[in-house]
Amino acid sequence: MASQNMPFIKNLASSDSKIRKSALASLHTFLSAKHIATTLSPIDILKLWKGLFYAMWMCDRAIPQQTLAQELADLIYILPRESVVPWLRGFWATMSREWTSIDVLRMEKFLLLVRRVVGASFRWMKGAQDGKADVSAATATKSKKAGKKGSGKEKSAWDAKRVDQVLDMLAEWPFALDEDVKEDSDSEEEEEPEADEDDEDAKPQHESLRKEKPEKKENKDPLHLLAKKIPAGLKIHVLDIWVDEAEKVGMLDFESDEEALKIVQRIIEKIEELEQRTVSPAIRVRSKDSLSDDRLPGNDKKPVEKEDEGWGGFDN
């Protein structure tokens, strides 16, 4: 089992920054081994993300927090392709579970972490281009600057399978419908009617029915044991930031990239459905605000009105 080879997890939550950095380096080496990364179970991934959550929790000062948030988001680029989606599911499950326990003083750095992971997920949808491996945010920025110097426009390189996986991830977690995240009615225990003590025929009949009642199948998926409802604050934050992160990866370049337009329209459809079906007024308002962003297709930019400077005196 992979969890037996993860002694560095506890060190991720150490109060000593040097120990945390060493543990994070060990995690990089651990995840870089394909034969290990592909055998990680959902439990293993949740353990790792819990350690990473507390690594961020213990991290102080703005610059180290920004660096750590980007490092955690970029972990998907050292994972084999088939391990990225389970890894991201572990992230969203961990954030959903821990969100309400984050205090006001620490909330800002976790908001940044979510932003970085959303951005990395969007960037991962582009996949490898021209036979090159996936790149992190820093490498992508350098290549983008270099590309501006050259002539001609780069062709879109969105990976259809990755796009489907990431959009399904958004629908499953931050854009999840309220009806989808509640427990199934079958999982709720039904109250059994009490038999009348004076009715001798009713008691044995009730006991026989209880014996014949089929046992309920236990859901062994560890993610099912976590948050049964995605925190509203987490949903609202993703609604606030997704357009910004989409713009950074070129997803809003509709004129030169028709595929990007299709991807954005699919995200818009998910948010529209969330707006219609959510029971939270705050989520409904933020959904409308997100959909009305001037950068999205179909939204005309509002003209900037010049302020009246008032009377400027007599002309000479």
Side-chain angles (χ1 to χ4, degrees), residues 82-108:
E82 59 271 23
S83 301
V84 171
V85 173
W87 180 260
L88 290 175
R89 287 190 74 213
F91 165 76
W92 289 113
T94 300
M95 295 308 301
S96 297
R97 179 189 61 200
E98 304 290 348
W99 191 261
T100 55
S101 66
I102 303 173
D103 57 76
V104 177
L105 298 177
R106 292 184 172 91
M107 179 57 74
E108 186 174 352

Side-chain angles (χ1 to χ4, degrees), residues 164-307:
D164 291 340
Q165 290 174 330
V166 171
L167 297 191
D168 289 344
M169 188 80 57
L170 293 176
E172 181 184 1
W173 291 99
F175 295 159
L177 306 176
D178 290 345
E179 290 77 9
D180 292 342
V181 295
K182 294 180 180 178
E183 290 187 35
D184 296 334
S185 58
D186 295 336
S187 63
E188 299 179 357
E189 295 183 1
E190 298 178 356
E191 296 183 0
E192 297 179 353
E194 296 181 1
D196 188 355
E197 295 180 358
D198 297 333
D199 190 351
E200 297 181 357
D201 295 335
K203 189 173 182 180
Q205 183 180 4
H206 176 64
E207 291 179 353
S208 62
L209 289 174
R210 184 189 301 179
K211 292 179 181 179
E212 295 176 0
K213 187 177 182 180
E215 296 182 358
K216 298 176 182 177
K217 294 182 180 180
E218 182 180 358
N219 192 332
K220 297 182 179 181
D221 184 359
L223 298 180
H224 178 76
L225 303 177
L226 298 178
K228 296 299 186 296
K229 186 174 182 180
I230 315 301
L234 181 56
K235 286 186 175 184
I236 289 172
H237 181 53
V238 178
L239 288 169
D240 289 343
I241 66 172
W242 80 269
V243 179
D244 294 337
E245 299 308 309
E247 185 177 29
K248 291 177 183 177
V249 299
M251 204 187 299
L252 303 185
D253 298 335
F254 306 131
E255 295 181 359
S256 60
D257 194 343
E258 295 182 359
E259 190 63 29
L261 175 60
K262 296 178 182 178
I263 296 172
V264 171
Q265 287 176 336
R266 290 175 62 183
I267 298 177
I268 290 175
E269 290 175 359
K270 296 181 184 299
I271 298 177
E272 287 176 340
E273 188 175 6
L274 174 62
E275 178 193 354
Q276 295 172 1
R277 295 182 56 178
T278 184
V279 297
S280 169
I283 294 177
R284 188 178 300 111
V285 170
R286 292 301 182 89
S287 297
K288 290 181 179 179
D289 293 342
S290 176
L291 294 172
S292 61
D293 193 293
D294 294 340
R295 293 168 289 180
L296 296 181
N299 295 337
D300 297 330
K301 294 185 178 180
K302 299 179 181 179
V304 179
E305 297 181 359
K306 295 183 179 180
E307 297 182 359

Side-chain angles (χ1 to χ4, degrees), residues 103-164:
D103 57 76
V104 177
L105 298 177
R106 292 184 172 91
M107 179 57 74
E108 186 174 352
K109 56 186 175 183
F110 284 103
L111 293 174
L112 177 63
L113 175 60
V114 173
R115 177 184 284 272
R116 293 290 180 263
V117 171
V118 171
S121 301
F122 285 164
R123 195 165 58 253
W124 183 75
M125 293 194 301
K126 280 198 169 183
Q129 300 183 19
D130 300 328
K132 298 179 182 179
D134 291 329
V135 294
S136 62
T139 307
T141 303
K142 292 179 180 179
S143 61
K144 185 176 180 180
K145 290 180 179 179
K148 290 181 178 179
K149 297 179 181 180
S151 59
K153 296 182 179 180
E154 295 182 0
K155 295 182 179 179
S156 174
W158 299 98
D159 187 307
K161 186 174 181 180
R162 293 189 183 191
V163 170
D164 291 340

